[in-house]
Amino acid sequence: MAPRIATSAADAVAQITDGSTVLIGGFGNAGQPMELIDALMQCGATDLTVVNNNAGQADAGLALLIKERRVKKIICSFPRQSDSWHFDEAYRAGEIELELVPQGNLAERIRAAGAGIGGFFTPTGYGTLLAEGKETRIIDGRGYVLESPIHADFALIKALRADTHGNLVYRKTARNFGPIMATAAAQAIVQVDEVVPVGGIDPENVITPGIYVDTVVALGGSN
Amino acid sequence: MTTYTPEKLTRDEMAQQVAADIPAGAFVNLGIGQPTNVSNFLTADQGVTLHTENGMLGMGPVATGEDIDEDLINAGKIPVTELPGASFFHHADSFAMMRGGHLDVCVLGAFQISEAGDLANWHTGAEGAIPAVGGAMDLAIGAKQTWVMMSLFTKAGESKLVKELSYPVTGLGCVSRIYTESAVFELRDSTVFVRSTHGISFEDLASRIPVALERA
């Protein structure tokens, strides 16, 4: 089924309810779907579990969701940054749960969810604090840790362009988590600069096939 | 043969040595901090391709002026440039590339390294510190060779090359070479070899490092 073309960022995120698990794309600000996050803020959903590489920067986007205590748990690889003051405060106050995951394991756990994989053994993290309590196995003399997929109710993603079938292309390193997050959520919501008619994207260049995309909103060119 | 120079290596000289040791044509990931400086000493004829774990091969120098593009950044979130032949890919591919052993060399910073090549560089373990790991654990164990650049001694004068780590582990048995201001070490065959010393004799070095050292 072709994706719904939403009329605004608010319309795109209207279905997100309290207690949802939300994958949010972006690495730092590159690929962060800022307008969708702002709309999520406005829509009032709370008690969220958020998956992102970081835990918000400065006073925008994810950082504000955390500031307003709308995020009960964050799954990320790198929460502490020079400008992560809202996360730092919430964490020190014991008002947000942190699940810290090595970046490659985070990506693979998201990929696994979208690919129907029930778990995988990875060498990353073996013998470290982040593997404590997890099943391990020695395979061909090397230590591995069992990691589980990260499924989500929603993904919020920023891409460069969509066609009306939901096929996506991204821009440079803003691609980062977008393609895998689109596969791992029950509902993938994508903000793009523009939506073009079918045929407007060369099939050879499609990065995320439209099958994964549920809602698209065009917000005009940022570049 | 362990070589000797009378002066300690500067940070630039350390970066220059690392750059000179990177094999021609290698795919390389340079960690945040001192390792990033290595790129300034790679020569065009080396044909080295830089990987950044946020999804790019063929990364060019830091972007300035009109070249700054917020969609084109490195793992330290600094705007960079792309070189001809560059490619972009998503995070799972980027880390599969690393974990799958396709990168030749990864250069990282460290808090401590054990004689077995165990690396600590992600967390001081200090009370109240907010932990953040990023790609450190993936980088440590992913590349064919993991090299470290660090100062050899803490401010209190203690060796960061130790028998066993006291800081939390990043990766076990992964480091094969250590570049410091005072010496360059090669870890192989369960032995720590000293390739060179700088501003310190092999004997004095051996007296300050709590692990058995062999001349290279």
Side-chain angles (χ1 to χ4, degrees):
Chain A
M1 196 170 71
R4 182 169 79 90
I5 308 292
T7 55
S8 65
D11 177 34
V13 304
Q15 28 177 354
I16 300 180
T17 50
D18 292 356
S20 297
T21 296
V22 185
L23 308 173
I24 299 181
F27 180 85
N29 288 331
Q32 190 172 165
M34 209 58 94
E35 288 78 4
L36 291 178
I37 301 170
D38 288 347
L40 176 58
M41 182 81 167
Q42 296 301 320
C43 91
T46 192
D47 245 356
L48 302 170
T49 295
V50 168
V51 183
N52 181 259
N53 186 63
N54 302 102
Q57 287 86 40
D59 291 296
L62 176 54
L64 291 183
L65 276 179
I66 292 169
K67 179 189 178 194
E68 297 301 324
R69 301 297 187 266
R70 308 272 284 279
V71 182
K72 70 173 176 197
K73 178 178 180 182
I74 187 150
I75 304 175
C76 71
S77 83
F78 208 78
R80 186 197 64 228
Q81 300 185 96
S82 58
D83 56 356
S84 61
W85 44 76
H86 291 307
F87 170 80
D88 296 3
E89 192 186 314
Y91 182 77
R92 292 196 195 287
E95 291 170 359
I96 189 166
E97 184 188 341
L98 168 66
E99 181 178 343
L100 190 69
V101 183
Q103 203 171 324
N105 287 358
L106 183 68
E108 192 64 13
R109 289 177 63 188
I110 296 166
R111 196 199 71 80
I117 301 295
F120 57 92
F121 282 97
T122 172
T124 302
Y126 180 79
T128 75
L129 289 174
L130 300 186
E132 278 182 358
K134 293 181 177 172
E135 186 179 337
T136 59
R137 189 172 294 185
I138 304 294
I139 302 171
D140 290 338
R142 191 174 196 199
Y144 291 80
V145 186
L146 179 63
E147 291 285 356
S148 55
I150 299 175
H151 292 277
D153 302 303
F154 298 95
L156 303 183
I157 293 163
K158 180 181 178 182
L160 174 65
R161 184 179 299 121
D163 67 18
T164 50
H165 280 194
N167 294 308
L168 304 178
V169 292
Y170 299 81
R171 190 167 179 277
K172 302 185 185 286
T173 56
R175 182 183 305 188
N176 56 66
F177 286 91
I180 51 174
M181 286 184 169
T183 70
Q187 295 279 321
I189 303 168
V190 185
Q191 71 170 68
V192 293
D193 287 2
E194 58 172 350
V195 178
V196 298
V198 164
I201 299 174
D202 181 344
E204 296 283 8
N205 294 338
V206 170
I207 302 299
T208 293
I211 188 171
Y212 298 116
V213 174
D214 300 281
T215 301
V216 173
V217 60
L219 297 175
S222 52
N223 288 288
Chain B
M1 165 84 194
T2 303
T3 60
Y4 167 80
T5 63
E7 298 292 333
K8 283 181 186 174
L9 296 182
T10 64
R11 287 189 166 209
D12 277 355
E13 286 167 340
M14 284 164 62
Q16 209 167 359
Q17 285 224 359
V18 175
D21 287 346
I22 291 176
F27 292 94
V28 176
N29 185 298
L30 299 174
I32 295 166
Q34 275 198 64
T36 305
N37 191 23
V38 172
S39 64
N40 295 324
F41 298 95
L42 292 167
T43 62
D45 354 326
Q46 270 180 288
V48 167
T49 303
L50 294 181
H51 171 262
T52 181
E53 60 266 31
N54 54 313
M56 181 185 189
L57 275 169
M59 179 173 62
V62 166
T64 54
E66 289 186 352
D67 285 339
I68 291 176
D69 179 337
E70 63 179 18
D71 287 343
L72 184 53
I73 60 173
N74 66 14
K77 305 190 175 86
I78 307 293
V80 291
T81 51
E82 62 191 67
L83 297 178
S87 54
F88 298 112
F89 31 83
H90 63 63
H91 250 79
D93 275 352
S94 187
F95 281 88
M97 195 178 287
M98 186 185 294
R99 197 190 305 109
H102 304 282
L103 296 180
D104 297 291
V105 178
C106 176
V107 187
L108 298 170
F111 298 147
Q112 269 182 343
I113 299 167
S114 80
E115 62 181 343
D118 301 342
L119 169 70
N121 74 350
W122 76 281
H123 188 25
T124 60
E127 193 74 31
I130 297 176
V133 65
M137 291 182 181
D138 306 275
L139 288 161
I141 57 92
K144 288 178 188 142
Q145 294 192 61
T146 300
W147 299 351
V148 161
M149 295 172 76
M150 66 174 191
S151 54
L152 183 53
F153 301 104
T154 66
K155 288 198 179 106
E158 286 167 359
S159 173
K160 296 187 191 175
L161 176 54
V162 294
K163 275 277 202 213
E164 288 193 6
L165 300 180
S166 58
Y167 285 97
V169 177
T170 305
L172 296 175
C174 55
V175 176
S176 60
R177 206 175 284 176
I178 311 167
Y179 296 82
T180 76
E181 76 295 336
S182 300
V184 176
F185 302 90
E186 290 178 2
L187 281 61
R188 55 188 145 86
D189 309 327
S190 307
T191 306
V192 179
F193 293 96
V194 181
R195 187 173 86 175
S196 59
T197 66
H198 308 279
I200 188 169
S201 67
F202 178 88
E203 290 73 18
D204 287 348
L205 184 75
S207 73
R208 292 190 63 189
I209 305 286
V211 308
L213 301 179
E214 293 289 332
R215 291 175 192 271

